[in-house]
Amino acid sequence: MAIFTIDEVKKTFSNGEIEEEVLKGINLSLKEGEITALVGASGSGKSTLLTIAAGLQPASDGQVVFEGKNISAMTQEQIRKIRASKFGFIFQFAHLVPFLTVEEQLELMLDVSESTLKKDERKKEIDRVLKLVEMEHRRHAYPASLSGGEKQRVAIARAIIHKPKVLFADEPTASLDSKRSKDVMALIQRLTQTLNITTLMVTHDEDMLSYADRIIKMSDGMVS
Amino acid sequence: MNMAWKEIKKNKGRFMILGSIVFLVSFLTFIISGLANGLSQDNAALIKELPDGSFYMDANADETYNLSKIDPDTQSNLLNKQAEAAALSIQMGFLNNKNDKQQSVAFVTSTDSSLFPKVKEGEVVLDASMKDTGIKVGDVLTNNQFSGKFTVKGFVDGKKYSHAPVAFINSENYKEMYRTEEMQLVFVPGEDKAQSVAGLQAYSKKQFLHTIPSYNAEQMSLNMIVWFLVVISGMLFAIFFYMMNVQKIGLYGILKAIGVKTGTLFKMMWTQMLLITAGALSLSVALSQGFKLLSPDGMPFSLTLDTTIQLSIVFLVIGFIGATLSGIQIKKVQPLQAIQQGEV
């Protein structure tokens, strides 16, 4: 069943009088619990598509439908609420908050998603997710003292703590070595299956494609 | 979660620097404000300690009380209307002690009124600061323009004029010394609105203080320094938070991407501004009150609770404005830019 539909999405960037069409009418649907990988050369439009789908920038034309609602027609505040409660994000870099400990990063996400969990339930949920990403022993550490792989695992924990419906991952392994990349991808795959999360991932790394259920190749702003 | 406090705790050094700058500027502001108020008291306590009311001066005196001569009939009419009203005159002069050492004083004489000490002919009531020069009740003092002698009858607190202690004398003695029959001013206490009196110009207490040339110049300079310091502290807040925000643009973008409200980021910045300013102000209020206790006796320093509270509120408002102006960047930051910029 499709939870997410991208319908004839176009994106044009203007630079003075020059207009560049980056996406030329993309159609795509994401099925619940599946990992979809977007691949393609640099400039093919895969990251632009991901950010439009995630509500981080508007499409020039077309619509993005999530759970039956057209998010392209929503206000910024409505989109923010969806991002906060229904979406999870993993970026190329972990982008953790430098002055929060591992456990506080997750607490922050629960706050942002306006979680209704009580204090002790929150603690249990944080414990559970930290265990899932095998970071419970580093719960009081600040990002500066974590390795690249550990940071990315915390970023994954932050992305799933509020039980999102869709996980957007933009080059989640690009800043990691091959062993850590595989560990992180295996973790995303395991969590996607366990928590029934739909994942849309952009990657350059062909080794990571084995973790995807579906691979969509993009070329020159179109699905090829 | 209180992100503002957690950031302060993690980056103590950075926030201590801002806190110490705000402390130094606010401390300096309190001290200069204390000196401004102290000098103001030293210059015009005689007038400032009077209740609110109206001063009447000769309309032809060009706002200079020294040149004012009030017609005795007009004076009587005014005094008859209000029991506490008083006609008064002020002249700078000298008193000589028994060793012929001169002391600069402001001679003040008035008609009968509870607002001024009653002094018989040949008597003088002095400001209490004259005690420091060794003068005691019963001492005999002289003046070169007065044929008789003044016997010190007593002392009163906080009566200074033009940085000199006030010497209250009887109007008959005053007339002899300054060869005049007219008084310079009439003061009517408790008037909300001054009456219109032919040949006289009315002034509120505040307006009258500003006709004293030295008072105006002194207060303008000091108040200008105080307000400059307040503006500088506002600019410091704006610059500091601007620098911090520039460093955190990436972080703000990521936080916005994951769904943090822009308002939450502003609240975080305001909370930090409030905590730092409150901490710095508490310290500078405590130290400036300590300075008040430890300052030398001769130093005119007066820092009232009202002034302290007013200045503290101004500092908080200025800090809020400075921080908010610098926070416009937070509103502008796009999540996408931050994601594309790399690690924060």
Side-chain angles (χ1 to χ4, degrees):
Chain A
M1 186 188 139
I3 187 171
F4 209 99
T5 313
I6 291 164
D7 190 13
E8 277 301 310
V9 164
K10 291 179 183 172
K11 182 72 183 178
T12 306
F13 288 111
S14 298
N15 187 5
E17 287 180 4
I18 304 162
E19 288 205 335
E20 191 188 357
E21 197 173 25
V22 179
L23 297 178
K24 298 169 180 170
I26 303 281
N27 291 297
L28 184 70
S29 60
L30 305 179
K31 286 183 188 155
E32 205 167 345
E34 255 189 15
I35 297 180
T36 304
L38 289 173
V39 291
S42 286
S44 60
K46 53 189 190 305
S47 285
T48 307
L49 180 61
L50 181 123
T51 51
I52 289 172
L56 292 169
Q57 64 171 322
S60 305
D61 202 5
Q63 59 180 25
V64 176
V65 179
F66 169 66
E67 290 184 327
K69 288 173 192 157
N70 179 9
I71 62 171
S72 311
M74 289 180 179
T75 63
Q76 284 296 309
E77 178 56 16
Q78 287 170 323
I79 296 173
R80 183 201 66 75
K81 276 186 181 166
I82 290 181
R83 281 208 308 266
S85 57
K86 304 273 175 94
F87 294 172
F89 293 92
I90 306 167
F91 308 106
Q92 181 178 345
F93 299 100
H95 288 304
L96 299 175
V97 182
F99 50 84
L100 298 182
T101 62
V102 167
E103 150 177 278
E104 287 166 350
Q105 310 275 347
L106 307 192
E107 254 182 71
L108 169 67
M109 198 58 229
L110 288 175
D111 285 346
V112 171
S113 64
E114 293 173 12
S115 164
T116 52
L117 293 178
K118 288 176 186 156
K119 202 178 171 184
D120 53 335
E121 291 170 336
R122 277 181 170 230
K123 197 181 171 306
K124 275 184 195 162
E125 188 59 16
I126 290 169
D127 289 346
R128 190 181 70 82
V129 172
L130 284 179
K131 210 169 183 180
L132 273 176
V133 298
E134 295 169 10
M135 283 298 290
E136 66 268 45
H137 63 294
R138 303 287 274 146
R139 62 191 312 138
H140 299 302
Y142 284 98
S145 65
L146 301 176
S147 69
E150 284 178 325
K151 280 184 192 170
Q152 205 60 324
R153 281 182 3 227
V154 177
I156 293 168
R158 181 178 68 181
I160 60 157
I161 183 84
H162 58 301
K163 298 192 173 70
K165 296 271 183 184
V166 186
L167 189 61
F168 294 96
D170 189 5
E171 305 274 10
T173 59
S175 63
L176 306 174
D177 60 33
S178 66
K179 190 194 170 298
R180 281 187 180 139
S181 296
K182 282 176 186 165
D183 289 346
V184 163
M185 274 317 299
L187 177 62
I188 291 175
Q189 188 184 44
R190 187 156 48 89
L191 295 172
T192 302
Q193 285 163 359
T194 322
L195 306 170
N196 199 31
I197 297 172
T198 305
T199 299
L200 181 63
M201 171 179 76
V202 165
T203 184
H204 265 110
D205 190 344
E206 294 206 349
D207 289 347
M208 300 304 122
L209 297 180
S210 60
Y211 297 94
D213 298 304
R214 194 150 61 115
I215 298 162
I216 292 170
K217 284 195 176 175
M218 287 190 67
S219 165
D220 196 24
M222 290 187 289
V223 173
S224 56
Chain B
M1 184 198 300
N2 192 345
M3 281 211 290
W5 178 241
K6 287 188 188 295
E7 188 181 11
I8 292 176
K9 255 179 29 182
K10 185 78 174 71
N11 299 311
K12 288 185 197 85
R14 192 185 288 182
F15 285 95
M16 286 258 291
I17 290 170
L18 176 65
S20 53
I21 294 169
V22 175
F23 157 69
L24 288 172
V25 174
S26 58
F27 182 54
L28 191 57
T29 310
F30 283 133
I31 295 293
I32 291 180
S33 182
L35 287 172
N37 286 340
L39 281 168
S40 156
Q41 280 296 113
D42 207 51
N43 204 346
L46 173 77
I47 306 297
K48 291 180 87 174
E49 297 300 318
L50 288 173
D52 283 338
S54 304
F55 283 88
Y56 293 87
M57 197 192 290
D58 185 350
N60 297 321
D62 199 22
E63 296 194 345
T64 309
Y65 71 89
N66 264 329
L67 303 177
S68 173
K69 285 179 178 177
I70 295 181
D71 174 67
D73 292 338
T74 314
Q75 177 183 314
S76 299
N77 285 340
L78 264 173
L79 296 183
N80 287 339
K81 282 182 187 169
Q82 231 267 26
E84 293 300 306
L88 69 149
S89 288
I90 308 165
Q91 286 285 357
M92 302 308 291
F94 296 96
L95 279 172
N96 306 316
N97 66 11
K98 57 187 173 190
N99 302 322
D100 265 353
K101 194 178 172 193
Q102 285 194 326
Q103 303 287 341
S104 177
V105 292
F107 286 109
V108 174
T109 189
S110 71
T111 53
D112 276 355
S113 166
S114 61
L115 299 171
F116 301 96
K118 281 191 174 64
V119 191
K120 291 179 192 158
E121 282 188 57
E123 287 181 345
V124 64
V125 171
L126 298 169
D127 177 67
S129 64
M130 291 288 276
K131 285 181 194 168
D132 297 340
T133 62
I135 295 173
K136 307 184 294 293
V137 173
D139 279 3
V140 176
L141 307 171
T142 58
N143 176 276
N144 298 347
Q145 294 159 262
F146 181 51
S147 56
K149 289 179 178 176
F150 291 116
T151 305
V152 179
K153 186 191 167 195
F155 294 94
V156 281
D157 284 324
K159 299 288 181 200
K160 287 198 139 189
Y161 188 81
S162 198
H163 302 294
V166 165
F168 291 99
I169 54 172
N170 183 275
S171 57
E172 293 308 314
N173 297 153
Y174 181 90
K175 283 173 188 171
E176 183 200 326
M177 283 164 68
Y178 293 101
R179 291 174 177 78
T180 178
E181 288 299 318
E182 293 101 349
M183 298 294 249
Q184 294 167 339
L185 300 160
V186 173
F187 176 66
V188 182
E191 273 190 351
D192 289 338
K193 202 177 169 196
Q195 312 159 46
S196 176
V197 183
L200 297 186
Q201 175 78 46
Y203 301 86
S204 67
K205 199 167 90 172
K206 197 173 170 189
Q207 286 169 334
F208 180 71
L209 283 170
H210 287 283
T211 66
I212 306 171
S214 63
Y215 181 88
N216 225 6
E218 205 172 77
Q219 289 302 302
M220 268 174 71
S221 314
L222 289 164
N223 284 331
M224 206 157 131
I225 295 171
V226 168
W227 288 108
F228 263 124
L229 287 170
V230 168
V231 171
I232 286 169
S233 71
M235 286 168 70
L236 279 172
F237 266 110
I239 293 165
F240 184 86
F241 277 102
Y242 176 82
M243 301 296 283
M244 290 241 298
N245 289 339
V246 165
Q247 286 176 355
K248 292 198 294 189
I249 285 289
L251 174 65
Y252 288 145
I254 297 300
L255 290 172
K256 278 188 172 184
I258 64 171
V260 175
K261 291 178 194 169
T262 306
T264 306
L265 300 175
F266 267 95
K267 274 183 210 158
M268 178 178 158
M269 188 181 65
W270 287 329
T271 308
Q272 288 171 342
M273 184 283 301
L274 196 69
L275 288 171
I276 294 164
T277 315
L281 283 176
S282 309
L283 194 60
S284 49
V285 166
L287 285 182
S288 54
Q289 291 301 320
F291 180 83
K292 193 167 136 183
L293 297 174
L294 297 173
S295 60
D297 286 344
M299 182 184 276
F301 187 86
S302 167
L303 188 59
T304 60
L305 189 65
D306 280 359
T307 311
T308 309
I309 292 170
Q310 276 169 14
L311 277 174
S312 300
I313 291 170
V314 168
F315 268 107
L316 287 168
V317 171
I318 286 278
F320 177 80
I321 294 169
T324 307
L325 285 177
S326 76
I328 290 169
Q329 299 159 89
I330 297 176
K331 201 166 164 53
K332 282 185 186 164
V333 67
Q334 292 296 325
L336 199 57
Q337 270 177 302
I339 295 163
Q340 287 162 349
Q341 264 173 9
E343 187 66 298
V344 288

